[in-house]
Amino acid sequence: MREKVIRAILDSGENFISGEQLSKELGISRTAIWKHINALREEGYNIESVNKKGYRLAEKPDDILSSENISYNLPTEFIGKKIVHFDTIGSTNDYAKEIGNKVRGGTLIISEQQTKGKGRLGRSWKSKSGDGIWMSLIIKPKIDPYKAPFLTLVAGASIVEALSNLGVDVLIKWPNDIILNNKKICGILTELSAEMERVNYIVIGIGINIKTLDFPNEIKEKATSLYKEGYKISRADIVRQFCIEFEKLYKGYILDDDKENTLDICRKHSAVIGKQVYIVKNNKKELVKCIDINENGNLIIKENNGDIKEIMSGEVSI
Ligand code: BT5
């Protein structure tokens, strides 16, 4: 019912909708309508009420990451059409894995706060309340499991495109970091549930720092947020743009085996191609030159002795 009330108000746009009309359309009492309106106001919706006219949204509720705000008129086929929104949760990736087998592909889990946000290899991801976009996308492609890691690049390229549509130019530090002004603004954690030859589901976890101004000491030097870099952009707009861009690249990859569009974006916006970087693996650190990202999404590097190698996973530090 809460969803129906907010949809009716969104549908009436700049016009007022009276309590009487709402109560008739939705089949509930005017007191019940009034209770819903108050609850929505507490969630952050700025609903104006004028005597004899009724209710309308005083401003676009663009910073609430609820299903109504993001999925409403979202021009995608399935990505982001179902959203589960929490105030707080351990990790959206862990929750996505709990429900992965039961929900439709394209379902997005979003939380205002994570108490156990995760990075790769057991690292932690700082996810304070309201500071960022902490979300996990569940997808169910019919592909062999070995094709799954490329989806991290598809997600990275989609974030680059989404932010670029909103006026922010970012770079990708292969394979899973998004960089703004030389600092990490976003990390991606892809997890897979599969059998030998079949993917059950894939969870793509994305953390984007939006409003954080003070980072904890251990990441102060290397992390940043959109606000910190002077960009005030609505979180809901970013999520919507991400859904649109991801669906395009994802469909291309899954249905037409098109990797080029994703690779093009990853190469053009690479923070590492053409640079000297350290490759860190198994506690060893080696200075190499990054040459390219190949058609499989792997990094091509040149070692000091001139050998050319393909790197499939690992850490790159600039
Ligand atoms: C990542 O791992 O960058 C993947 C982060 C994925 C987070 C999302 S949030 C929604 C979903 N639910 C989850 O539980 N996770 C996903 P990695 O490359 O391993 O980087 C982790 C490292 O980044 C940490 O060890 C810190 O050094 C640093 N870090 C932690 N929190 C950060 C933050 N908020 N911003 C920038 N850097 C951070």
Side-chain angles (χ1 to χ4, degrees), residues 167-228:
V168 189
D169 285 329
V170 290
L171 297 176
I172 305 178
K173 182 158 82 68
W174 184 93
N176 74 317
D177 289 355
I178 306 291
I179 305 290
L180 177 58
N181 296 339
N182 295 320
K183 291 184 173 180
K184 181 160 171 173
I185 189 146
C186 164
I188 304 169
L189 171 66
T190 304
E191 296 189 82
L192 170 71
S193 160
E195 288 157 34
M196 287 297 276
E197 285 169 11
R198 193 184 71 157
V199 166
N200 298 324
Y201 59 82
I202 295 168
V203 172
I204 301 185
I206 296 174
I208 311 176
N209 300 320
I210 307 287
K211 299 183 183 171
T212 325
L213 294 177
D214 273 323
F215 285 95
N217 280 340
E218 66 268 28
I219 56 171
K220 224 179 198 128
E221 300 299 316
K222 52 185 183 184
T224 194
S225 70
L226 282 183
Y227 274 35
K228 214 168 175 188

Side-chain angles (χ1 to χ4, degrees), residues 66-194:
S66 62
S67 160
E68 301 81 20
N69 263 356
I70 293 164
S71 310
Y72 185 78
N73 285 343
L74 182 68
T76 55
E77 196 185 305
F78 59 101
I79 300 292
K81 286 298 195 189
K82 164 112 182 99
I83 288 178
V84 187
H85 180 227
F86 292 95
D87 276 338
T88 183
I89 199 163
S91 148
T92 53
N93 263 39
D94 287 347
Y95 181 78
K97 288 194 286 179
E98 277 171 35
I99 61 165
N101 274 325
K102 294 175 238 154
V103 295
R104 285 187 51 187
T107 300
L108 195 56
I109 318 298
I110 305 184
S111 186
E112 292 299 321
Q113 178 191 30
Q114 295 184 117
T115 52
K116 287 191 182 136
K118 305 188 301 182
R120 296 178 302 163
L121 308 167
R123 297 180 193 129
S124 84
W125 181 261
K126 309 280 179 213
S127 335
K128 266 174 54 189
S129 183
D131 261 9
I133 298 171
W134 325 126
M135 66 180 179
S136 299
L137 178 63
I138 300 168
I139 41 175
K140 301 185 157 180
K142 291 193 174 58
I143 52 170
D144 285 335
Y146 78 88
K147 286 183 134 186
F150 191 83
L151 288 164
T152 300
L153 302 192
V154 172
S158 309
I159 289 166
V160 168
E161 292 296 273
L163 289 175
S164 156
N165 295 345
L166 297 165
V168 189
D169 285 329
V170 290
L171 297 176
I172 305 178
K173 182 158 82 68
W174 184 93
N176 74 317
D177 289 355
I178 306 291
I179 305 290
L180 177 58
N181 296 339
N182 295 320
K183 291 184 173 180
K184 181 160 171 173
I185 189 146
C186 164
I188 304 169
L189 171 66
T190 304
E191 296 189 82
L192 170 71
S193 160

